[in-house]
């Protein structure tokens, strides 16, 4: 099957194999870690708090990114896209929906943590559920737009996965890109920056650093920044001058998000880590229990 299909233009055999393998590893690792986060939430009663519902929302979205990456890995190994042009539109939509839901849920977690640590107000179930629903509907709104004609989904340079078509650089693309990045990158980034700065000040005053306040924003900027740069570069210059293999790098970096998020939001969170440990070993960690109660 592999030999029947020619290599995509601009890629050597080794490069296609390397990208497929990277996508597969990202998909499997991210799926296992986020799957563990989701199952622990289901099984461990102590984990089922309104704040952790937002962490669950990130994990669900990240599992969606992994499914997207898995399909991309599979077709990379085939060297062609076997699902037709409708399949390409669905793949682009599904990837965008879950990626944008992951970004807005991360901003929701930042907002919740700000209130938890700085204003000492407790998140209610109704608020947490509303925020989660809003994050997903907001992501659905932006990801459905290219299907309706504002922006467009098309093949990535490797031609084995689909995303926003940045190759045209016309007015339709530019207006969509600007609106998309303001509402799905800059505003969530600003919420995270201000929230974690305030939390950092609070931790500094008390001398107790409960978690690394720099990591969530760094994750957003490092994982999504290259994609953002590529898309903005495409808005002002002819992106076709960049070699297809370099244009695949931001997509591969972005798909590390599920793995990184699992470490930052679930395993990097004292309470959640305790719950995962309890799910895996059956042992309850007393400190996590105390922390939960003093929350
Ligand atoms: C374009 C763009 C963004 C979103 C990118 C997304 C969501 C990419 C998803 C790609 C996928 C899933 C590819 C699958 O093969 C941001 C970060 C909001 C910033 C502004 C530019």
């Amino acid at each position: 099957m592999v030999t029947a299909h020619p290599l995509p233009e601009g890629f050597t055999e080794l490069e296609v194999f390397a990208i497929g393998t990277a996508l597969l590893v990202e998909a499997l690792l991210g799926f296992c870690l986020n799957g563990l986060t989701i199952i622990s939430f289901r099984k461990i009663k102590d984990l089922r708090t309104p704040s952790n519902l937002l962490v669950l929302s990130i994990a669900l979205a990240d599992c969606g990114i992994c499914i997207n990456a898995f399909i991309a890995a599979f077709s990379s190994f085939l060297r062609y896209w076997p699902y037709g042009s409708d399949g390409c539109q669905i793949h682009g939509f599904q990837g965008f929906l879950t990626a944008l839901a992951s970004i807005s849920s991360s901003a929701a977690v930042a907002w919740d943590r700000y209130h938890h640590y700085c204003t000492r107000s407790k998140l209610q179930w109704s608020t947490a559920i509303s925020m989660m629903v809003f994050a997903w509907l907001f992501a659905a709104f932006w990801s459905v737009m290219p299907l309706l004609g504002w922006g467009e989904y098309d093949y990535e340079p490797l031609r084995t996965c689909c995303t926003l078509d940045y190759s045209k650089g016309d007015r339709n693309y530019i207006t969509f890109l600007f609106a998309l990045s303001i509402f799905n990158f800059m505003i969530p980034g600003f919420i995270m920056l201000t929230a974690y700065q305030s939390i950092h000040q609070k931790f500094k005053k008390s001398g107790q650093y409960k978690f690394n306040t720099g990591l969530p924003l760094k994750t957003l900027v490092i994982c999504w920044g290259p994609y953002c740069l590529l898309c903005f570069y495409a808005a002002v210059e002819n992106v076709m001058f960049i070699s297809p293999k370099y244009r695949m790098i931001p997509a591969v970096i972005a798909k590390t998000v599920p793995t990184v998020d699992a470490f930052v939001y679930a395993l990097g969170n004292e309470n959640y880590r305790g719950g995962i440990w309890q799910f895996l070993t059956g042992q309850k960690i007393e400190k996590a229990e105390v922390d939960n109660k003093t929350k």
Side-chain angles (χ1 to χ4, degrees):
M1 200 167 212
V2 171
T3 43
H5 284 272
L7 284 169
E9 225 182 284
F11 293 89
T12 65
E13 186 138 6
L14 184 68
E15 283 159 1
V16 174
F17 183 74
I19 293 175
T21 308
L23 290 171
L24 184 66
V25 170
E26 288 172 335
L28 291 179
L29 201 58
F31 205 80
C32 290
L33 293 171
N34 286 288
L36 190 59
T37 307
I38 295 167
I39 296 173
S40 304
F41 184 90
R42 281 267 307 123
K43 297 274 181 207
I44 305 296
K45 198 165 167 282
D46 284 348
L47 278 187
R48 292 201 288 274
T49 64
S51 296
N52 285 345
L53 181 73
L54 299 175
V55 175
L56 176 80
S57 178
I58 301 180
L60 287 171
D62 285 346
C63 272
I65 301 179
C66 292
I67 293 171
N68 192 276
F70 188 77
I71 295 169
F74 177 70
S75 43
S76 300
F77 290 130
L78 290 181
R79 289 187 187 171
Y80 77 106
W81 178 254
Y83 310 106
S85 60
D86 282 350
C88 173
Q89 296 299 309
I90 297 171
H91 187 248
F93 169 78
Q94 190 269 344
F96 251 61
L97 173 73
T98 47
L100 299 181
S102 167
I103 297 176
S104 5
S105 302
S106 307
V109 167
W111 184 87
D112 167 49
R113 286 180 171 179
Y114 166 76
H115 284 288
H116 179 86
Y117 292 106
C118 300
T119 68
R120 297 251 158 230
S121 53
K122 207 167 177 265
L123 188 67
Q124 300 299 314
W125 273 108
S126 56
T127 319
I129 294 169
S130 311
M131 283 169 78
M132 182 172 166
V133 170
F134 177 78
W136 281 86
L137 287 182
F138 193 67
F141 169 81
W142 287 100
S143 43
V144 89
M145 281 302 150
L147 299 179
L148 302 178
W150 194 23
E152 192 185 339
Y153 293 127
D154 205 351
Y155 296 104
E156 290 206 75
L158 194 55
R159 297 196 67 79
T160 56
C161 45
C162 296
T163 186
L164 185 68
D165 177 19
Y166 49 74
S167 65
K168 292 194 187 83
D170 55 5
R171 184 189 288 226
N172 178 303
Y173 166 74
I174 293 173
T175 51
F176 181 65
L177 176 67
F178 267 87
L180 177 79
S181 40
I182 290 171
F183 287 102
N184 293 281
F185 190 67
M186 290 173 200
I187 294 181
F190 180 74
I191 294 173
M192 288 163 84
L193 177 74
T194 47
Y196 287 114
Q197 262 179 353
S198 307
I199 298 169
H200 180 76
Q201 293 305 324
K202 200 82 192 172
F203 285 176
K204 213 166 147 186
K205 251 190 224 159
S206 67
Q208 267 190 313
Y209 291 88
K210 304 238 180 202
F211 63 88
N212 186 333
T213 50
L215 281 182
L217 188 65
K218 275 187 203 149
T219 304
L220 179 79
V221 173
I222 295 174
C223 294
W224 291 111
Y227 221 106
C228 197
L229 274 181
L230 175 72
C231 289
F232 273 95
Y233 182 80
V236 291
E237 286 289 339
N238 186 353
V239 78
M240 292 307 169
F241 288 135
I242 304 179
S243 142
K245 59 179 170 241
Y246 292 126
R247 276 188 275 132
M248 277 309 291
I249 294 175
V252 175
I253 295 177
K255 288 194 180 80
T256 60
V257 160
T259 303
V260 179
D261 273 355
F263 282 107
V264 171
Y265 291 103
L267 296 164
N269 171 325
E270 239 178 320
N271 296 321
Y272 218 111
R273 195 170 46 228
I276 292 176
W277 181 254
Q278 189 181 340
F279 169 66
L280 289 175
T281 64
Q283 293 172 340
K284 207 162 174 167
I285 297 177
E286 291 308 318
K287 186 173 179 333
E289 211 181 86
V290 171
D291 277 353
N292 262 340
K293 284 181 183 149
T294 52
K295 251 192 163 193

